[in-house]
Amino acid sequence: MLIQLKKFGDTLVSRDAGKEALAAFRPTLKALAQNEKIQIDFSDVFTLSPSWASEFILALQKEYAGRVELLPTENPSVNLTMEFLTKLK
């Protein structure tokens, strides 16, 4: 399953918005096959904050351990945010 984060906007910055995005996407996750990978695409995302990513991406990584793949990006905001959150785990 491919999740294109641009569907949630190009500036993903608040904890509440991350929670809302995940809640809105949960029905789609019900169609996920048992061992299907979840790929997260950061294309066309301008800003990603640690708070949004924590509520959406880290929550998915926790719930679907080992099945979430972050697609490569050149976006410094995304890369720094994910690097920061990886250090906190």
Side-chain angles (χ1 to χ4, degrees):
M1 172 178 287
L2 179 66
I3 301 175
Q4 296 175 318
L5 293 185
K6 68 181 177 184
K7 291 181 178 182
F8 303 108
D10 63 0
T11 304
L12 308 173
V13 294
S14 78
R15 188 167 299 281
D16 288 340
K19 282 182 185 180
E20 288 177 24
L22 184 57
F25 199 73
R26 280 220 182 270
T28 304
L29 290 168
K30 290 182 181 182
L32 193 64
Q34 188 173 8
N35 292 319
E36 186 178 352
K37 288 247 182 223
I38 299 170
Q39 296 179 312
I40 298 182
D41 182 2
F42 298 98
S43 299
D44 299 320
V45 171
F46 182 68
T47 303
L48 177 68
S49 74
S51 57
W52 195 97
S54 175
E55 294 298 332
F56 189 92
I57 297 170
L58 291 186
L60 285 176
Q61 288 177 328
K62 184 177 179 181
E63 187 172 342
Y64 298 96
R67 294 171 52 190
V68 177
E69 176 187 3
L70 306 178
L71 297 180
T73 180
E74 297 295 320
N75 183 319
S77 172
V78 171
N79 289 330
L80 288 171
T81 291
M82 296 314 300
E83 181 180 320
F84 173 74
L85 291 176
T86 299
K87 290 179 183 178
L88 291 179
K89 282 187 185 178

